[in-house]
Amino acid sequence: MTDIAAPVQTALTRLVAERQSKGRVPGVVGAVARAGSLAWSYGAGSADLEHPGVPPTADSQFLIASQSKTLTAVTIMALRDEGKLSLDDPIEKLITDSKHEGITVRQMLSHASGMQREPVGDVWDLMKFPSREDLVPGWNGAARIGRPHHRFHYSNLVFSLLGEIVARLEGRSWYDSVKARILDPLEMRRTTVGMDGGPAQTGYYVPPFSDVPVREPLLDIGAMDACGGLASTAEDLAKWAMFVANPVDEVLSKDTLDEMCQVQIMADVDRWQLAFGLGFMLLRRGDRLFVGHDGGMPGHITSTFVDRSSGTAGIALFGSTSSPAPSALATDLIIKVLEDDPLPDEAWVPGTSVPDELVEVLGTWFTEGSPFVFSVKNGTLEAKSPTAAEHQSPAVFERLSEDTYRTVSGRETGELLHITRDPAGHPTKLHWATYLCTRQPLAFSEIMPG
């Protein structure tokens, strides 16, 4: 793992060591993935206090808990793409014995349903979790405590029902579906329900008034596995993060993953620093947006976040119930790499030709008094305002027929572009999303008839 410069690796190591020390966490693993693979990892502390000084590694399993939700969500979206469900389907269409009606798959994925957080029965007090046979009857007895989309309300119960939807549509267990659809194609061999018996971090609780850790139990959460039952390693989570950064069609298309990263509801309504997409947390730090999820189980607090624009991910795995914020470490690792050792820009590759029909379209056109520069990249028409921020992508067009194009990405996605030509075939005006584009800037009064 030599992808990251040595001085930056040293700084990353310091970040992990600092959180382990100041957070009084028995064992910690921090990792960075980029360019498609694990690039760096470091373990601090002890994987098991019976063997002090032997730190966990990138191959040590931790309970990743609610990070499991992201895999459940990707499985649901794959079923959507296959036509087996719709995001607007109400739950009673997919779980016919549900007594709650009108709760849609979209609301469930984005924690916007208004359903209560946990199954009935004080499960986190009694440590007794519903079996699959008990899940839907318990769901029917749960309360809808808020109106749909009125406010964000996190619900483990709802994601457990998403797992039941997967199982019913697939005719196999939730985990078997996740394994076949995600884990096997991505070669995530040590992502399992509960620990697999291999190298692992023992979970502890460190009390606030002493330095003597208490060993935490390993729980079987039954039918709640889809919301938080998985264990994984930094090596496997690096593969998952690189999929989130650059999806493979065998698992899920890029367009669908992009859809999952669109804001569905704002969780932090005061500062707009945390929102939820379809199964993913969307965390903002400054001008950067990170996509991922936290996870928390007794003895294990974890996080994986991805800067999709750069393909860089941070992974934070803590072996203590009372750990520092894992998302802070995961994103600190990403930011350190992006600021101090960014990957070089991809080399510019020249195109080979400009389509004849676009030669006279290229250049500046004005609409609503403002300029847009139309250009060709690899034979494809693009448009971008010269005042647009560097991070904003251009509008990209796909030719539908002679002089008619569809905007397939960027500004006005989905809208049509029509080219009008004079009798000699020279373009005289464009209509983009119905707005007139001309070679010279015009006021609206200059184009009004009469």
Side-chain angles (χ1 to χ4, degrees):
M1 294 185 290
T2 58
D3 185 43
I4 295 174
V8 179
Q9 291 191 43
T10 300
L12 297 174
T13 298
R14 287 197 185 103
L15 284 172
V16 175
E18 175 195 46
R19 302 305 159 89
Q20 188 272 340
S21 176
K22 292 184 177 180
R24 303 189 311 141
V25 183
V28 179
V29 170
V32 173
R34 68 175 181 179
S37 64
L38 182 66
W40 170 88
S41 68
Y42 176 73
S46 301
D48 191 313
L49 294 178
E50 293 184 2
H51 305 282
V54 180
T57 71
D59 190 42
S60 298
Q61 270 195 325
F62 287 71
L63 299 176
I64 64 168
S66 287
Q67 290 195 56
S68 309
K69 290 180 173 69
T70 60
L71 284 81
T72 298
V74 164
T75 304
I76 287 284
M77 295 303 289
L79 290 168
R80 191 286 305 269
D81 287 355
E82 293 166 8
K84 296 177 181 177
L85 60 81
S86 164
L87 294 184
D88 297 320
D89 281 343
I91 189 171
E92 65 269 21
K93 179 178 178 181
L94 303 166
I95 298 180
T96 56
D97 44 338
S98 170
K99 302 301 183 184
H100 291 286
E101 297 182 347
I103 297 172
T104 67
V105 175
R106 183 186 302 277
Q107 293 167 5
M108 296 172 77
L109 286 168
S110 57
H111 299 286
S113 70
M115 285 296 295
Q116 70 180 58
R117 180 183 174 109
E118 305 294 339
V120 296
D122 298 327
V123 295
W124 292 104
D125 178 10
L126 302 174
M127 297 299 172
K128 184 178 180 181
F129 302 92
S131 66
R132 187 176 176 191
E133 291 72 26
D134 296 333
L135 182 63
V136 175
W139 159 264
N140 289 335
R144 194 167 191 178
I145 61 174
R147 301 193 304 276
H149 298 285
H150 178 60
R151 59 167 58 90
F152 167 80
H153 187 74
Y154 191 83
S155 179
N156 285 320
L157 172 61
V158 164
F159 258 82
S160 300
L161 267 291
L162 286 170
E164 179 64 15
I165 289 173
V166 170
R168 293 194 183 192
L169 289 177
E170 294 270 81
R172 56 185 175 182
S173 73
W174 163 83
Y175 179 71
D176 285 344
S177 291
V178 168
K179 186 174 186 299
R181 288 179 172 274
I182 299 173
L183 304 181
D184 289 346
L186 298 183
E187 298 184 349
M188 296 171 64
R189 298 185 179 91
R190 296 205 62 214
T191 300
T192 55
V193 172
M195 300 295 195
D196 66 4
Q201 172 68 42
T202 300
Y204 296 94
Y205 170 65
V206 181
F209 307 118
S210 83
D211 59 358
V212 182
V214 179
R215 188 166 180 150
E216 292 279 35
L218 287 173
L219 302 178
D220 179 353
I221 61 173
M224 296 178 66
D225 284 339
C227 84
L230 292 178
S232 191
T233 67
E235 288 186 358
D236 270 13
L237 290 171
K239 295 173 183 177
W240 174 243
M242 293 298 88
F243 161 78
V244 173
N246 187 23
V248 292
D249 287 340
E250 182 181 1
V251 176
L252 199 70
S253 73
K254 180 182 184 301
D255 284 347
T256 299
L257 205 294
D258 290 348
E259 179 184 0
M260 296 179 73
C261 297
Q262 297 293 315
V263 173
Q264 300 292 320
I265 194 165
M266 191 62 61
D268 174 12
V269 296
D270 296 317
R271 298 191 176 184
W272 287 30
Q273 293 178 338
L274 178 65
F276 269 75
L278 296 170
F280 283 102
M281 297 172 67
L282 310 175
L283 176 65
R284 174 169 292 286
R285 292 190 59 182
D287 291 334
R288 293 192 171 97
L289 180 66
F290 301 100
V291 175
H293 214 287
D294 290 338
M297 285 286 279
H300 299 258
I301 305 295
T302 68
S303 188
T304 300
F305 274 90
V306 184
D307 176 70
R308 297 188 73 215
S309 62
S310 68
T312 307
I315 299 161
L317 306 174
F318 291 99
S320 173
T321 308
S322 50
S323 293
S327 58
L329 177 56
T331 52
D332 279 347
L333 295 173
I334 299 172
I335 291 168
K336 173 58 67 174
V337 170
L338 293 180
E339 290 182 349
D340 294 351
D341 190 21
L343 290 171
D345 291 337
E346 291 185 8
W348 177 75
V349 178
T352 57
S353 64
V354 176
D356 292 340
E357 68 273 11
L358 294 178
V359 170
E360 293 189 69
V361 175
L362 306 185
T364 301
W365 294 80
F366 292 86
T367 183
E368 297 184 273
S370 298
F372 279 84
V373 176
F374 284 74
S375 59
V376 164
K377 180 179 180 181
N378 294 324
T380 299
L381 183 65
E382 298 184 349
K384 187 172 183 177
S385 168
T387 62
E390 184 177 353
H391 73 272
Q392 292 179 303
S393 300
V396 178
F397 302 93
E398 177 183 67
R399 190 170 189 252
L400 299 181
S401 61
E402 185 177 358
D403 290 336
T404 299
Y405 294 77
R406 176 82 67 187
T407 317
V408 294
S409 65
R411 181 189 178 108
E412 308 296 355
T413 295
E415 298 281 0
L416 293 178
L417 172 73
H418 296 286
I419 302 170
T420 299
R421 301 179 188 269
D422 63 19
H426 304 297
T428 58
K429 59 183 177 180
L430 313 177
H431 286 90
W432 183 16
T434 77
Y435 284 87
L436 177 66
C437 303
T438 58
R439 284 298 193 185
Q440 299 299 320
L442 299 175
F444 277 97
S445 60
E446 294 178 271
I447 61 176
M448 290 179 63

